[in-house]
CSV table of all heavy atoms in Angstrom, one decimal:
chain,number,residue,atom,x,y,z
H,121,ASN,N,-13.3,177.6,73.1
H,121,ASN,CA,-12.0,178.3,72.9
H,121,ASN,C,-10.8,177.4,73.2
H,121,ASN,O,-9.9,177.8,73.9
H,121,ASN,CB,-12.0,179.6,73.7
H,121,ASN,CG,-10.9,180.5,73.2
H,121,ASN,OD1,-10.4,180.4,72.1
H,121,ASN,ND2,-10.4,181.4,74.1
H,122,ILE,N,-10.9,176.1,72.7
H,122,ILE,CA,-9.9,175.1,73.0
H,122,ILE,C,-8.5,175.6,72.4
H,122,ILE,O,-8.4,176.0,71.2
H,122,ILE,CB,-10.3,173.8,72.4
H,122,ILE,CG1,-11.6,173.3,73.1
H,122,ILE,CG2,-9.2,172.7,72.5
H,122,ILE,CD1,-11.4,173.1,74.6
H,123,GLU,N,-7.4,175.3,73.2
H,123,GLU,CA,-6.1,175.7,72.7
H,123,GLU,C,-5.2,174.5,72.4
H,123,GLU,O,-4.2,174.6,71.8
H,123,GLU,CB,-5.4,176.5,73.8
H,123,GLU,CG,-6.2,177.8,74.1
H,123,GLU,CD,-5.6,178.5,75.4
H,123,GLU,OE1,-4.7,179.3,75.3
H,123,GLU,OE2,-6.2,178.2,76.5
H,124,ALA,N,-5.5,173.3,73.0
H,124,ALA,CA,-4.7,172.1,72.7
H,124,ALA,C,-5.6,170.9,72.8
H,124,ALA,O,-6.7,170.9,73.5
H,124,ALA,CB,-3.6,172.0,73.7
H,125,ILE,N,-5.2,169.8,72.2
H,125,ILE,CA,-5.9,168.5,72.3
H,125,ILE,C,-5.0,167.4,72.9
H,125,ILE,O,-3.9,167.3,72.5
H,125,ILE,CB,-6.4,168.1,70.9
H,125,ILE,CG1,-7.5,169.1,70.4
H,125,ILE,CG2,-7.0,166.7,70.9
H,125,ILE,CD1,-7.9,168.9,69.0
H,126,SER,N,-5.6,166.7,73.8
H,126,SER,CA,-4.9,165.6,74.5
H,126,SER,C,-5.5,164.3,74.2
H,126,SER,O,-6.7,164.1,74.5
H,126,SER,CB,-4.8,165.9,76.0
H,126,SER,OG,-4.2,164.8,76.7
H,127,ILE,N,-4.8,163.4,73.6
H,127,ILE,CA,-5.3,162.0,73.3
H,127,ILE,C,-4.6,161.0,74.1
H,127,ILE,O,-3.4,160.9,74.1
H,127,ILE,CB,-5.1,161.8,71.8
H,127,ILE,CG1,-5.7,162.9,70.9
H,127,ILE,CG2,-5.7,160.4,71.4
H,127,ILE,CD1,-5.4,162.8,69.4
H,128,GLY,N,-5.4,160.1,74.7
H,128,GLY,CA,-4.9,159.0,75.5
H,128,GLY,C,-4.2,158.0,74.5
H,128,GLY,O,-4.6,157.8,73.4
H,129,ASN,N,-3.1,157.3,75.0
H,129,ASN,CA,-2.3,156.5,74.1
H,129,ASN,C,-2.8,155.0,74.1
H,129,ASN,O,-2.0,154.1,73.8
H,129,ASN,CB,-0.8,156.5,74.5
H,129,ASN,CG,-0.5,155.9,75.8
H,129,ASN,OD1,-1.4,155.7,76.7
H,129,ASN,ND2,0.7,155.6,76.1
H,130,GLY,N,-4.0,154.7,74.5
H,130,GLY,CA,-4.5,153.3,74.6
H,130,GLY,C,-5.1,152.9,73.3
H,130,GLY,O,-4.7,153.3,72.2
H,131,THR,N,-6.1,152.0,73.4
H,131,THR,CA,-6.8,151.5,72.2
H,131,THR,C,-7.3,152.6,71.3
H,131,THR,O,-7.9,153.6,71.7
H,131,THR,CB,-8.0,150.6,72.6
H,131,THR,OG1,-7.5,149.6,73.5
H,131,THR,CG2,-8.6,150.0,71.4
H,132,ALA,N,-7.0,152.4,70.0
H,132,ALA,CA,-7.5,153.4,68.9
H,132,ALA,C,-6.8,154.8,69.0
H,132,ALA,O,-7.3,155.7,68.4
H,132,ALA,CB,-9.0,153.6,68.9
H,133,SER,N,-5.7,154.8,69.7
H,133,SER,CA,-5.0,156.1,69.9
H,133,SER,C,-4.5,156.7,68.5
H,133,SER,O,-4.7,157.8,68.2
H,133,SER,CB,-3.8,156.0,70.8
H,133,SER,OG,-3.1,157.2,70.9
H,134,ARG,N,-3.7,155.9,67.8
H,134,ARG,CA,-3.2,156.4,66.5
H,134,ARG,C,-4.3,156.7,65.5
H,134,ARG,O,-4.2,157.8,64.9
H,134,ARG,CB,-2.3,155.3,65.9
H,134,ARG,CG,-1.0,155.0,66.6
H,134,ARG,CD,-0.1,156.3,66.8
H,134,ARG,NE,0.3,156.9,65.6
H,134,ARG,CZ,1.4,156.5,64.9
H,134,ARG,NH1,2.0,155.4,65.2
H,134,ARG,NH2,1.7,157.2,63.8
H,135,GLU,N,-5.3,155.9,65.5
H,135,GLU,CA,-6.4,156.2,64.5
H,135,GLU,C,-7.1,157.5,64.9
H,135,GLU,O,-7.4,158.3,64.0
H,135,GLU,CB,-7.4,155.0,64.5
H,135,GLU,CG,-6.9,153.7,64.0
H,135,GLU,CD,-6.1,152.9,65.0
H,135,GLU,OE1,-5.8,153.4,66.1
H,135,GLU,OE2,-5.8,151.7,64.6
H,136,THR,N,-7.2,157.7,66.2
H,136,THR,CA,-7.9,159.0,66.7
H,136,THR,C,-7.0,160.2,66.4
H,136,THR,O,-7.4,161.2,66.0
H,136,THR,CB,-8.1,158.9,68.2
H,136,THR,OG1,-9.0,157.7,68.4
H,136,THR,CG2,-8.9,160.1,68.7
H,137,GLU,N,-5.7,160.0,66.5
H,137,GLU,CA,-4.7,161.1,66.2
H,137,GLU,C,-4.8,161.4,64.7
H,137,GLU,O,-4.8,162.6,64.4
H,137,GLU,CB,-3.3,160.6,66.6
H,137,GLU,CG,-2.2,161.7,66.4
H,137,GLU,CD,-0.8,161.2,66.6
H,137,GLU,OE1,-0.6,160.0,66.8
H,137,GLU,OE2,0.1,162.1,66.4
H,138,PHE,N,-4.8,160.4,63.9
H,138,PHE,CA,-4.9,160.7,62.4
H,138,PHE,C,-6.2,161.4,62.1
H,138,PHE,O,-6.2,162.3,61.3
H,138,PHE,CB,-4.8,159.4,61.6
H,138,PHE,CG,-3.5,158.7,61.7
H,138,PHE,CD1,-3.4,157.3,61.8
H,138,PHE,CD2,-2.3,159.4,61.8
H,138,PHE,CE1,-2.2,156.6,61.9
H,138,PHE,CE2,-1.1,158.8,61.9
H,138,PHE,CZ,-1.0,157.4,62.0
H,139,PHE,N,-7.3,160.9,62.7
H,139,PHE,CA,-8.6,161.5,62.5
H,139,PHE,C,-8.6,163.0,62.9
H,139,PHE,O,-9.1,163.9,62.1
H,139,PHE,CB,-9.6,160.7,63.3
H,139,PHE,CG,-10.9,161.5,63.6
H,139,PHE,CD1,-11.8,161.7,62.6
H,139,PHE,CD2,-11.2,162.0,64.9
H,139,PHE,CE1,-13.0,162.4,62.8
H,139,PHE,CE2,-12.4,162.7,65.1
H,139,PHE,CZ,-13.3,162.9,64.1
H,140,ILE,N,-8.0,163.3,64.1
H,140,ILE,CA,-8.0,164.7,64.5
H,140,ILE,C,-7.2,165.6,63.6
H,140,ILE,O,-7.6,166.8,63.3
H,140,ILE,CB,-7.4,164.8,66.0
H,140,ILE,CG1,-8.4,164.2,67.0
H,140,ILE,CG2,-7.1,166.2,66.4
H,140,ILE,CD1,-9.7,165.0,67.2
H,141,LYS,N,-6.1,165.1,63.1
H,141,LYS,CA,-5.2,165.9,62.2
H,141,LYS,C,-5.8,166.1,60.8
H,141,LYS,O,-5.3,166.9,60.1
H,141,LYS,CB,-3.8,165.2,62.1
H,141,LYS,CG,-3.0,165.3,63.4
H,141,LYS,CD,-1.7,164.7,63.4
H,141,LYS,CE,-0.9,165.0,64.7
H,141,LYS,NZ,0.4,164.3,64.6
H,142,LYS,N,-6.9,165.4,60.5
H,142,LYS,CA,-7.5,165.6,59.2
H,142,LYS,C,-8.5,166.8,59.3
H,142,LYS,O,-8.9,167.4,58.3
H,142,LYS,CB,-8.3,164.4,58.8
H,142,LYS,CG,-7.5,163.2,58.4
H,142,LYS,CD,-8.4,162.0,58.1
H,142,LYS,CE,-7.7,160.8,57.7
H,142,LYS,NZ,-8.6,159.6,57.6
H,143,ILE,N,-8.8,167.2,60.5
H,143,ILE,CA,-9.9,168.3,60.7
H,143,ILE,C,-9.2,169.7,60.4
H,143,ILE,O,-8.2,170.0,60.9
H,143,ILE,CB,-10.4,168.3,62.2
H,143,ILE,CG1,-11.0,166.9,62.5
H,143,ILE,CG2,-11.5,169.4,62.3
H,143,ILE,CD1,-11.5,166.7,63.9
H,144,ALA,N,-10.0,170.4,59.6
H,144,ALA,CA,-9.5,171.8,59.3
H,144,ALA,C,-10.0,172.8,60.3
H,144,ALA,O,-11.2,173.3,60.2
H,144,ALA,CB,-10.0,172.2,57.9
H,145,PHE,N,-9.2,173.0,61.4
H,145,PHE,CA,-9.6,174.0,62.4
H,145,PHE,C,-9.4,175.4,62.0
H,145,PHE,O,-8.6,175.7,61.1
H,145,PHE,CB,-8.8,173.7,63.7
H,145,PHE,CG,-9.1,172.4,64.4
H,145,PHE,CD1,-8.1,171.4,64.3
H,145,PHE,CD2,-10.3,172.1,65.0
H,145,PHE,CE1,-8.4,170.1,64.9
H,145,PHE,CE2,-10.6,170.9,65.6
H,145,PHE,CZ,-9.6,169.9,65.5
H,146,ASP,N,-10.2,176.3,62.6
H,146,ASP,CA,-10.1,177.7,62.3
H,146,ASP,C,-8.8,178.4,62.8
H,146,ASP,O,-8.4,179.5,62.4
H,146,ASP,CB,-11.3,178.5,62.9
H,146,ASP,CG,-12.6,178.0,62.3
H,146,ASP,OD1,-12.5,177.5,61.1
H,146,ASP,OD2,-13.6,178.2,62.9
H,147,LYS,N,-8.1,177.7,63.7
H,147,LYS,CA,-6.8,178.2,64.2
H,147,LYS,C,-5.9,177.0,64.4
H,147,LYS,O,-6.3,175.9,64.6
H,147,LYS,CB,-7.1,178.9,65.5
H,147,LYS,CG,-7.7,178.0,66.6
H,147,LYS,CD,-8.0,178.8,67.9
H,147,LYS,CE,-8.6,177.9,69.0
H,147,LYS,NZ,-8.9,178.6,70.2
H,148,PRO,N,-4.6,177.3,64.5
H,148,PRO,CA,-3.7,176.1,64.8
H,148,PRO,C,-3.8,175.6,66.2
H,148,PRO,O,-3.9,176.3,67.1
H,148,PRO,CB,-2.3,176.8,64.6
H,148,PRO,CG,-2.5,178.2,64.7
H,148,PRO,CD,-3.9,178.5,64.3
H,149,LEU,N,-3.9,174.3,66.3
H,149,LEU,CA,-4.0,173.6,67.6
H,149,LEU,C,-2.9,172.6,67.7
H,149,LEU,O,-2.5,171.8,66.8
H,149,LEU,CB,-5.3,172.8,67.7
H,149,LEU,CG,-6.6,173.6,67.9
H,149,LEU,CD1,-7.8,172.7,67.9
H,149,LEU,CD2,-6.6,174.4,69.2
H,150,GLN,N,-2.3,172.5,68.9
H,150,GLN,CA,-1.3,171.5,69.2
H,150,GLN,C,-2.0,170.2,69.6
H,150,GLN,O,-3.0,170.3,70.4
H,150,GLN,CB,-0.4,172.0,70.4
H,150,GLN,CG,0.5,173.1,70.0
H,150,GLN,CD,1.4,173.4,71.2
H,150,GLN,OE1,1.0,173.9,72.2
H,150,GLN,NE2,2.7,173.3,71.0
H,151,VAL,N,-1.6,169.1,69.1
H,151,VAL,CA,-2.2,167.8,69.4
H,151,VAL,C,-1.1,166.9,70.1
H,151,VAL,O,-0.1,166.7,69.5
H,151,VAL,CB,-2.7,167.1,68.1
H,151,VAL,CG1,-3.3,165.7,68.4
H,151,VAL,CG2,-3.7,168.0,67.4
H,152,PHE,N,-1.5,166.5,71.3
H,152,PHE,CA,-0.5,165.7,72.1
H,152,PHE,C,-1.1,164.3,72.3
H,152,PHE,O,-2.3,164.2,72.5
H,152,PHE,CB,-0.3,166.3,73.5
H,152,PHE,CG,0.4,167.7,73.4
H,152,PHE,CD1,-0.4,168.8,73.2
H,152,PHE,CD2,1.7,167.8,73.6
H,152,PHE,CE1,0.2,170.1,73.2
H,152,PHE,CE2,2.4,169.0,73.5
H,152,PHE,CZ,1.6,170.2,73.3
H,153,VAL,N,-0.3,163.3,72.3
H,153,VAL,CA,-0.6,161.9,72.8
H,153,VAL,C,0.0,161.7,74.1
H,153,VAL,O,1.2,161.9,74.3
H,153,VAL,CB,-0.2,160.9,71.8
H,153,VAL,CG1,-0.5,159.5,72.3
H,153,VAL,CG2,-0.8,161.1,70.4
H,154,VAL,N,-0.8,161.5,75.1
H,154,VAL,CA,-0.3,161.4,76.5
H,154,VAL,C,-0.6,159.9,77.0
H,154,VAL,O,-1.5,159.3,76.6
H,154,VAL,CB,-1.0,162.4,77.5
H,154,VAL,CG1,-0.7,163.8,77.0
H,154,VAL,CG2,-2.4,162.1,77.7
């Protein structure tokens, strides 16, 4: 029952963010880079 996603801003951060945003989730999720 995840409500938000937190991605570290180190190596492969942008690629991981793009990858996550391609996923069609069943509900809207906030994606943060920290």
Side-chain angles (χ1 to χ4, degrees):
N121 196 22
I122 297 299
E123 299 168 89
I125 294 175
S126 176
I127 303 169
N129 69 342
T131 304
S133 175
R134 290 304 299 280
E135 292 84 350
T136 303
E137 182 187 3
F138 295 143
F139 160 72
I140 290 294
K141 288 182 176 178
K142 288 178 186 174
I143 303 173
F145 294 110
D146 296 337
K147 60 181 179 181
L149 284 179
Q150 289 182 300
V151 179
F152 297 85
V153 176
V154 303

